[in-house]
Amino acid sequence: QVQLVESGGGLVQAGGSLRLSCAASGSIFSINAMGWYRQAPGKQRELVAAITSGGSTNYADSVKGRFTISRDNAKNTVYLQMNSLKPEDTAVYYCNAEVWVLGGASGYLEVWGQGTLVTVSS
């Protein structure tokens, strides 16, 4: 009923930039928090950045000052601007959202995107 579709991943050299986008579609009544997580090979999935519906943000220490999360509530879309990329940023990046499904059970449902690969070469 609700889908998150990510785009913008790819291969970039260290020091470069990428912008990830994640658009939510389907039977959406409301979206609460949205965020980006990442999972590197052999590692657990970790929070990169999150943003509330009101615009409050939270970042992992490893990306503070380099990444910026933003959202367009009218488009149900969240973005992640990634600057000064490092090889250790290489991972599959997943979009996450707390969605109140229209016509569904009351309460917010956690929805995940399929992931987009970001590779940073040294």
Side-chain angles (χ1 to χ4, degrees), residues 87-109:
E88 50 264 42
D89 295 318
T90 295
V92 177
Y93 284 70
Y94 296 91
C95 177
N96 173 276
E98 297 173 346
V99 181
W100 193 303
V101 178
L102 188 64
S106 61
Y108 287 97
L109 178 69

Side-chain angles (χ1 to χ4, degrees), residues 19-92:
R19 188 189 193 213
L20 305 183
S21 299
C22 171
S25 63
S27 302
I28 299 170
F29 175 70
S30 175
I31 299 179
N32 193 17
M34 302 184 81
W36 291 94
Y37 289 72
R38 67 186 180 186
Q39 187 166 19
K43 295 188 176 182
Q44 289 188 329
R45 190 174 298 189
E46 63 175 359
L47 174 68
V48 176
I51 184 168
T52 67
S53 57
S56 297
T57 58
N58 180 42
Y59 294 94
D61 288 342
S62 59
V63 306
K64 283 181 181 177
R66 299 188 299 122
F67 291 10
T68 302
I69 189 170
S70 61
R71 65 190 283 175
D72 185 333
N73 291 330
K75 296 181 179 180
N76 291 331
T77 300
V78 63
Y79 306 96
L80 186 68
Q81 178 66 44
M82 304 185 293
N83 299 328
S84 302
L85 282 160
K86 304 175 181 180
E88 50 264 42
D89 295 318
T90 295
V92 177

